[in-house]
Amino acid sequence: MIAVPQCCTPWDSLKLGTESRRDQRRRQLRGAVDAMRGAMDDPTAYAEADMQFHLMLSEVAGNRVITRLMRVIQRPLMEQLRRSIAHLKATGQLEANLQTHVRIVDGIERGSADDAQRGFEDMLAISLAFGAEGCYGTELFFGDVGKAPPSPS
């Protein structure tokens, strides 16, 4: 979620199942985005809704490895997510973050893997920019595990 490689989200193979199951999963994803929208004034609640969105997205994508990994590291991941969301709110970027999630769901609803992927890449870019600013509260930037945070300039 924070810096998971794009290969980990196989948009082309979304496991939406039967038509009724597809509708249910789309409603659940849209509901998760709506919960995020409703929590714009509460960074902790927004982070919790964001985590639920990503857990659901990994389940919808049928990626059991990522789903399990996210569940195993959920506690430290939530701490990083809370810091990231607080930073986005403080810098006026939270709405842009929400819109990336909206674009992911819109792409899924339209059956457009490209649109969903672009939304995911935009969301990832915002997350990586947060890390690049030296806000490494925990070392969950997977490519940087074990490395010290960059020294301030």
Side-chain angles (χ1 to χ4, degrees):
M1 182 172 78
I2 299 299
V4 176
Q6 105 182 29
C7 65
C8 294
T9 309
W11 303 109
D12 297 341
S13 62
L14 290 175
K15 308 292 187 204
L16 297 174
T18 65
E19 187 173 337
S20 64
R21 185 73 173 144
R22 275 193 304 270
D23 291 342
Q24 177 188 10
R25 291 199 183 249
R26 288 175 181 155
R27 281 192 305 274
Q28 289 172 328
L29 282 170
R30 183 62 65 189
V33 169
D34 290 343
M36 292 168 66
R37 183 176 290 111
M40 293 288 287
D41 292 328
D42 182 350
T44 298
Y46 185 97
E48 290 168 6
D50 194 4
M51 174 62 78
Q52 291 308 309
F53 173 86
H54 287 281
L55 285 169
M56 179 169 300
L57 188 61
S58 68
E59 290 170 7
V60 166
N63 195 323
R64 291 182 182 164
V65 172
I66 294 298
T67 301
R68 181 148 172 85
L69 176 64
M70 287 178 65
R71 290 192 188 285
V72 167
I73 65 169
Q74 187 169 359
R75 203 158 131 202
L77 190 56
M78 271 303 299
E79 180 58 32
Q80 178 62 31
L81 192 55
R82 282 186 191 103
R83 291 174 190 215
S84 176
I85 298 305
H87 171 77
L88 292 173
K89 180 149 179 63
T91 59
Q93 300 176 73
L94 193 56
E95 178 64 32
N97 176 268
L98 175 65
Q99 290 309 310
T100 63
H101 293 72
V102 169
R103 287 197 307 275
I104 292 168
V105 175
D106 288 349
I108 291 169
E109 288 178 343
R110 285 192 305 272
S112 173
D114 290 341
D115 289 349
Q117 183 64 43
R118 275 192 294 276
F120 186 81
E121 289 169 358
D122 291 346
M123 185 243 354
L124 190 57
I126 291 171
S127 296
L128 293 175
F130 170 68
E133 292 177 15
C135 302
Y136 276 77
T138 61
E139 291 184 333
L140 284 179
F141 293 84
F142 296 102
D144 294 332
V145 171
K147 296 179 187 174
S151 44
S153 305

